Amino acid sequence: MSRIDRTVSNHDVIPVVASDLFVENSTARLAGGMLAVNGFAIPGLDAEYAAHFHLRRKVYVDQTGQLAASELQDDGTDRDADDARSITFAIFENHESGVRVVGVSRLILRGDGGPLPVEEFCPDAFAPGDLDVGCVEVSRVIARHESAALQDLVQWHLFALMLAYIANHELGRTFAIIEPWLERHLQGTIAIERIGEERYIEHYLDYNVPIEIDIPASAARVDMRNGGCIDRYRAAEPAMTYTGRVLKRSFSERTS
């Protein structure tokens, strides 16, 4: 089973990347947007894309044990075949230590590339012909921050980014495979429905359930929480959208 290593803090897993994302928006607290398409970084975001794999590995292997170290590639990342058919998103923080990757997620596009992971791990959840090329799967959703409130905000923005992409590209039914505790948590964030029974999935080293996400209802919830941010992400795609303002540093920090 997966295990939480309490000695690995959120601070420990958040990578700092050499990036100029906030050079022209130096007072913004967060930046969010598309990071990669089908395994290739958006032009100018190669370092940020590499850093997002660092966050994934530190969380899924070191902190939560949801992936085994044996699953890693030779370069130490958890990159898999689904990255080559995914849209990857990220939330960055303008922090005093530098630009930090505090949230990542991906949408796996079914297209004509074969079944989604949810179909392979939970075949009983679908009948033949249920899914078409427009179906997608939400995957690798991570939000990490020392502040619980900011971590929650990062998660909201990740869902806003994915919902914006789904709307812009007129994608279809949307699924995920998640742990039961996360299912309970997400019921307060987005609209989801369990479509199969809980089962142990060896790849994730734990019990998981397949869910379907109600896109219109979820979009309404996310927009209500974040004041129409989905439309802002839709309009900006594929560029970054900047939100919030950095807190003023203390006098001692400014004069040291």
Side-chain angles (χ1 to χ4, degrees), residues 187-213:
Q187 285 170 345
T189 304
I190 56 176
I192 61 177
E193 178 183 1
R194 184 182 288 205
I195 58 172
E197 295 302 316
E198 182 178 323
R199 81 278 318 272
Y200 186 81
I201 297 179
E202 182 68 29
H203 179 67
Y204 299 129
L205 302 176
D206 210 344
Y207 287 88
N208 283 251
V209 295
I211 63 165
E212 182 167 0
I213 300 171

Side-chain angles (χ1 to χ4, degrees), residues 121-139:
F121 294 130
C122 310
D124 54 299
F126 306 98
D130 268 0
L131 306 188
D132 59 25
V133 296
C135 294
V136 298
E137 182 169 334
V138 173
S139 173

Side-chain angles (χ1 to χ4, degrees), residues 40-250:
F40 293 94
I42 298 293
L45 297 179
D46 294 274
E48 291 82 355
Y49 187 45
H52 117 280
F53 282 113
H54 180 70
L55 176 64
R56 280 171 36 171
R57 176 182 61 79
K58 292 291 287 183
V59 169
Y60 285 125
V61 177
D62 299 342
Q63 189 182 52
T64 69
Q66 289 171 274
L67 291 177
S70 60
E71 300 270 356
L72 297 177
Q73 302 298 316
D74 291 341
D75 61 2
T77 72
D78 73 322
R79 184 192 295 267
D80 63 20
D82 289 321
D83 284 304
R85 56 168 177 166
S86 294
I87 308 301
T88 304
F89 307 90
I91 304 293
F92 300 91
E93 181 186 19
N94 185 8
H95 191 265
E96 61 187 38
S97 64
V99 177
R100 305 202 305 172
V101 188
V102 293
V104 299
S105 63
R106 68 181 182 182
L107 283 176
I108 304 173
L109 310 181
R110 190 172 191 268
D112 56 5
L116 295 168
V118 68
E119 297 176 76
E120 296 180 320
F121 294 130
C122 310
D124 54 299
F126 306 98
D130 268 0
L131 306 188
D132 59 25
V133 296
C135 294
V136 298
E137 182 169 334
V138 173
S139 173
R140 295 295 200 267
V141 181
I142 299 173
R144 289 294 185 272
H145 202 275
E146 296 87 350
S147 162
L150 193 50
Q151 179 170 302
D152 183 63
L153 179 62
V154 169
Q155 185 181 76
W156 280 101
H157 277 282
L158 288 172
F159 279 109
L161 278 166
M162 291 186 286
L163 289 164
Y165 188 89
I166 289 168
N168 273 356
H169 298 271
E170 299 181 341
L171 297 175
R173 297 177 67 186
T174 304
F175 305 93
I177 309 170
I178 59 177
E179 295 175 305
W181 69 264
L182 183 56
E183 178 190 28
R184 294 189 294 271
H185 172 74
L186 289 181
Q187 285 170 345
T189 304
I190 56 176
I192 61 177
E193 178 183 1
R194 184 182 288 205
I195 58 172
E197 295 302 316
E198 182 178 323
R199 81 278 318 272
Y200 186 81
I201 297 179
E202 182 68 29
H203 179 67
Y204 299 129
L205 302 176
D206 210 344
Y207 287 88
N208 283 251
V209 295
I211 63 165
E212 182 167 0
I213 300 171
D214 182 325
I215 295 302
S218 295
R221 288 190 187 184
V222 171
D223 263 345
M224 183 179 299
R225 170 64 171 77
N226 286 319
C229 65
I230 293 176
D231 282 343
R232 293 197 297 275
Y233 281 128
R234 291 188 67 180
E237 183 189 310
M240 289 286 161
T241 296
Y242 294 85
T243 58
R245 295 182 67 84
V246 292
L247 300 176
K248 291 183 179 180
R249 295 185 180 180
S250 68

